Amino acid sequence: MAHQAVDPDFRRLIEEHAPVRQPGSGFTFTEGPIWHPVEHYLLFSDMPGDVRRRFDKSGVREEMRPSNMGNGMTYDRDLNLLVCEHSTSCVARFRPDGRREVLASHYEGRELNSPNDICVKSDGSIWFTDPWYGRMPVFGVERPRDLGWQGVFRLPPDHKPGAEPQLVVERYMFTMPNGLCFSPDESLLYINDTEQANIRVFDVQSDGKLRNGRIFASGIRDSLLPGVPDGMKCDAEGNVWCTAPGGLWVYNPSGKLIGKVSIPELPANFHWGGPDWRTLYVCASTSLYAVDVKVGPRNEPFMRTKGGGATARSETSAAASSGADEPLRLDARRCALIIQDMQNDVVMDGGAFADSGSPQHCREQNAIANIARLADRCRALGIPVIHVHFVVPPGAKGLTLNAPLFEGVIDNAALVRGTWGGSPVDGLVPQDGDFVVEKMRMSAWEGSTLETVLKAEGRDMIIETGAWTNMSIEHTARTGADKGYVMIIPEDGCSTMNADWHNASINYALQNVSLVTKTDEVIAALG
């Protein structure tokens, strides 16, 4: 079954002739697939059959019956299963030990319609749609509606089980809100409407409110093919995948339709899975289908957990604060390596800032060789390597001259794009698969795409290396700590003008915002 590339970019996401497998069939109506990130199995709903099923290497078997006609499912960061239940009109949470808690069932004293699809934001808030399919025959239990409209709701991070949810959209905006998903950086929320055959997108504010709602895609229908907007997910690159006539339609971040994935039956929902998150599992009518893809999902909070024990964050924090003799341990799945400002003008003889003493201190630290060893190890483990370069256009247009450092860039015609001085040093040239982030400030976060890359890759532990220990390294570490990232500084992978400035930063400021260690210890900690 051939898939359709409407735009050439689609071929980067999936092969046009990628086969569609059928791991299971003979069900009633499948929905809500979700992959367990630790134990590597897929759960999916069979709503009319009132059963939850599990697919693993042994095949498909029943997991729970009755299941309250569960529909959409996901996990929270603690790997509690969150289920939208049709027959109870509630969002329920199932603990790993099997305990069930009702998170939300009423709004303004009235029973919800029938929660349908669900997703979790990194702050722990839970978002769900509430059409009334679960009050129809077959898909739920036929009964009158209490609300009289169909909304989209949020459970804040401090939500107490049973408390009312927050309505996040105007109550009559949607006819049948269904699938919903966040963009990789969680700045956008996409919500589709099955009856209106469209997708809306909203800006997500820090307080959880939505604003600036607009149509992202419309006309998701075909008179010759069955299928409607239902399940929807965002991939790691920000493309939006949505069930539609004939299978799944894929839109790029600007809302352009770039391709269609063909599925043999009417699709209802889907999710990525497999050990590398490169298998797309599709629930379609009576069957479960699987197709290999080239791109993984938006990194959701549950994908970052090690499951049920101390996380790498707590392990690292404990080692840093206690000074324990036990060796450092790092979870490679959560790490990213930053190589910052390692450019010719900064640390090489003949560079614009050579008179500062930076080339000599870089040699004393053996920083280039140490960073190169660390980068090679990270690439071998699949850890993202992110080069952060300070570059300006000729004339440094756009550079604010509010500090001597930036004035020095102008005075020395330094770090100009395309010049030797602005280029990375030999030994630390970006390789295939590395990321390159550009900035025009000290901090790697300011005015750059760094956090977008980190969120897309699902990384919250940053190994920071590079130049200007007391400036760029320190500023980036301070901001990273404020943002909630674990900052790890291999001090022999950093350098500045001289040892005094370097040690002042390492021994004081950086001790309070990061774990200071050595390159060899980081390499060993990664396993």
Side-chain angles (χ1 to χ4, degrees), residues 233-278:
K233 301 289 186 296
C234 198
D235 69 24
E237 297 182 2
N239 303 298
V240 176
W241 302 55
C242 185
T243 64
L248 311 177
W249 291 10
V250 184
Y251 298 85
N252 70 13
S254 67
K256 177 184 178 182
L257 178 65
I258 61 172
K260 300 178 180 182
V261 180
S262 297
I263 302 296
E265 294 182 72
L266 175 71
N269 213 331
F270 60 95
H271 208 286
W272 284 266
D276 60 354
W277 299 100
R278 295 299 186 273

Side-chain angles (χ1 to χ4, degrees), residues 269-490:
N269 213 331
F270 60 95
H271 208 286
W272 284 266
D276 60 354
W277 299 100
R278 295 299 186 273
T279 302
L280 196 66
Y281 290 100
V282 182
C283 285
S285 299
T286 66
S287 302
L288 173 68
Y289 292 95
V291 58
D292 294 333
V293 294
K294 300 178 182 178
V295 64
R298 173 188 87 88
N299 198 280
E300 300 182 52
F302 79 89
M303 299 175 186
R304 307 169 201 169
T305 184
K306 293 172 65 178
T311 63
R313 179 185 299 277
S314 62
E315 290 168 358
T316 302
S317 299
S321 61
S322 66
D325 291 333
E326 63 181 84
L328 175 67
R329 299 183 302 275
L330 297 175
D331 185 348
R333 296 170 297 180
R334 297 176 60 185
C335 290
L337 172 66
I338 289 179
I339 303 173
Q340 186 165 202
D341 295 348
M342 295 302 283
Q343 297 158 262
N344 291 319
D345 270 343
V346 179
V347 296
M348 296 303 290
D349 290 323
F353 299 112
D355 289 345
S356 69
S358 59
Q360 177 61 29
H361 190 246
C362 184
R363 287 191 293 269
E364 292 171 359
Q365 291 286 101
N366 199 28
I368 294 174
N370 287 335
I371 297 171
R373 288 192 298 115
L374 183 52
D376 286 343
R377 184 59 181 153
C378 287
R379 294 185 187 105
L381 293 171
I383 295 172
V385 176
I386 306 170
H387 302 261
V388 180
H389 294 160
F390 191 122
V391 290
V392 298
K397 182 179 180 181
L399 179 64
T400 305
L401 305 181
N402 62 315
L405 174 69
F406 305 127
E407 292 174 358
V409 173
I410 291 282
D411 294 342
N412 293 284
L415 300 168
V416 177
R417 185 189 308 279
T419 65
W420 173 84
S423 300
V425 300
D426 288 344
L428 295 178
V429 175
Q431 298 185 16
D432 289 344
D434 291 357
F435 295 90
V436 177
V437 170
E438 296 184 351
K439 62 169 187 172
M440 288 200 298
R441 312 307 291 169
M442 280 185 284
S443 172
W445 306 96
E446 187 66 30
S448 80
T449 59
L450 175 60
E451 192 156 26
T452 300
V453 173
L454 292 170
K455 285 187 176 295
E457 295 294 312
R459 307 293 166 146
D460 60 359
M461 303 184 72
I462 299 174
I463 305 163
E464 186 189 0
T465 65
W468 306 127
T469 314
N470 57 313
M471 289 185 284
S472 297
I473 299 298
E474 185 175 315
H475 278 261
T476 299
R478 287 175 183 269
T479 303
D482 276 341
K483 287 176 172 287
Y485 292 86
V486 174
M487 304 301 298
I488 301 150
I489 311 294

Side-chain angles (χ1 to χ4, degrees), residues 98-145:
R99 284 182 297 143
R100 176 181 177 272
E101 300 171 287
V102 173
L103 296 183
S105 59
H106 290 73
Y107 179 73
E108 294 181 343
R110 298 176 181 270
E111 194 173 55
L112 296 171
N113 294 307
S114 59
N116 187 283
D117 209 351
I118 189 167
C119 62
V120 177
K121 195 169 180 281
S122 291
D123 64 1
S125 58
I126 299 168
W127 304 63
F128 65 94
T129 54
D130 187 43
W132 64 282
Y133 291 113
R135 294 174 180 263
M136 297 179 182
V138 180
F139 298 109
V141 177
E142 189 173 9
R143 59 202 191 278
R145 285 178 278 168

